[in-house]
Amino acid sequence: MHLCARVVDLGCGSGKLLKRLLAETQFTEILGLDVSIGDLEMAAKRLRLETIPERQRIKLIQGALTYRDKRIAGFDGASLVEVIEHVDPDRLVAVERVVFEMARPGVIVVTTPNIEYNAKFESMKPGQLRHPDHRFEWTRAEFAAWATRVSEAFGYMATNSPLGPEDARLGAASQMAVFEMFA
Ligand code: SAH
């Protein structure tokens, strides 16, 4: 397992994970990136960025994961929590290269909804996605296949696991892949 001290939350949104990371002293440098200024403002509020004594440890920046960005290179760990499904499928390859090839952190945690679990949500119509901005949602097999392909392409090893209570047939509501760079 890589030691994570410098971490970047890619698509940090309103900063829920950043707040948890800040509470852990193991993380000496925390960066949050999002394309949405509105979300970054919410994150700054949630974290009370102006006033907290830990403000030297954390920074928020605006950026798009579809474009190469030197500011996100060289971190020990990166997370994309419920972010990839917001990216157009034909732009996803750009995000893969920006994160896995150019930013290239030691560990990358990716989570995304498990579409199989949607059958449990009675209010959803067949074929409907969970959020109007979702461009796709994947089955567990689709996500595992993506994780394998990306690992092989960029020299990582992926482990997939369910997130949340599991239904025997449908799995959990969300799913996670942890990518570790080959030494
Ligand atoms: N990770 C957060 C937010 C998830 S919502 C959480 O779990 O709460 C998805 C986020 O991804 C949104 O904040 C959206 O602005 C951001 N996002 C979508 N496409 C992006 C892109 N191409 N580059 C950077 N951020 C992006």
Side-chain angles (χ1 to χ4, degrees):
M1 199 55 181
H2 298 264
L3 180 72
C4 271
R6 304 178 61 234
V7 289
V8 56
D9 188 24
L10 301 169
C12 63
S14 62
K16 282 180 267 175
L17 178 60
L18 293 175
K19 183 148 192 194
R20 286 168 171 243
L21 294 172
L22 200 55
E24 304 292 331
T25 51
Q26 134 182 28
F27 302 115
T28 55
E29 190 181 332
I30 304 164
L31 181 64
L33 173 140
D34 205 282
V35 76
S36 155
I37 290 282
D39 278 271
L40 290 170
E41 282 170 359
M42 279 194 274
K45 256 201 197 139
R46 184 194 297 279
L47 299 162
R48 301 184 213 285
L49 217 55
E50 306 290 305
T51 52
I52 51 165
E54 304 99 316
R55 65 184 172 279
Q56 307 92 318
R57 281 170 62 216
I58 185 158
K59 223 169 94 182
L60 299 177
I61 57 172
Q62 197 218 359
L65 287 168
T66 40
Y67 294 96
R68 179 182 203 148
D69 191 334
K70 289 202 176 85
R71 297 171 300 172
I72 61 169
F75 282 81
D76 302 319
S79 47
L80 293 103
V81 176
E82 310 287 302
V83 171
I84 58 169
E85 67 276 6
H86 292 265
V87 177
D88 279 328
D90 62 339
R91 306 291 287 146
L92 193 57
V93 282
V95 174
E96 289 165 17
R97 288 199 63 201
V98 166
V99 175
F100 289 83
E101 184 180 310
M102 296 159 185
R104 216 165 169 69
V107 179
I108 306 172
V109 177
V110 180
T111 81
T112 196
N114 164 22
I115 195 172
E116 296 164 79
Y117 198 85
N118 291 359
K120 301 266 277 186
F121 301 128
E122 276 162 22
S123 61
M124 285 179 72
K125 298 180 190 76
Q128 189 190 346
L129 300 182
R130 284 185 211 174
H131 190 279
D133 190 49
H134 284 182
R135 311 303 158 89
F136 62 86
E137 286 170 1
W138 280 338
T139 62
R140 286 166 289 175
E142 284 170 323
F143 186 44
W146 178 79
T148 302
R149 180 178 62 72
V150 168
S151 302
E152 284 171 1
F154 300 107
Y156 284 80
M157 227 178 71
T159 311
N160 281 57
S161 49
L163 281 183
E166 269 185 286
D167 177 272
R169 195 168 54 87
L170 304 169
S174 193
Q175 46 185 342
M176 170 169 76
V178 178
F179 298 82
E180 290 189 69
M181 201 202 293
F182 276 157

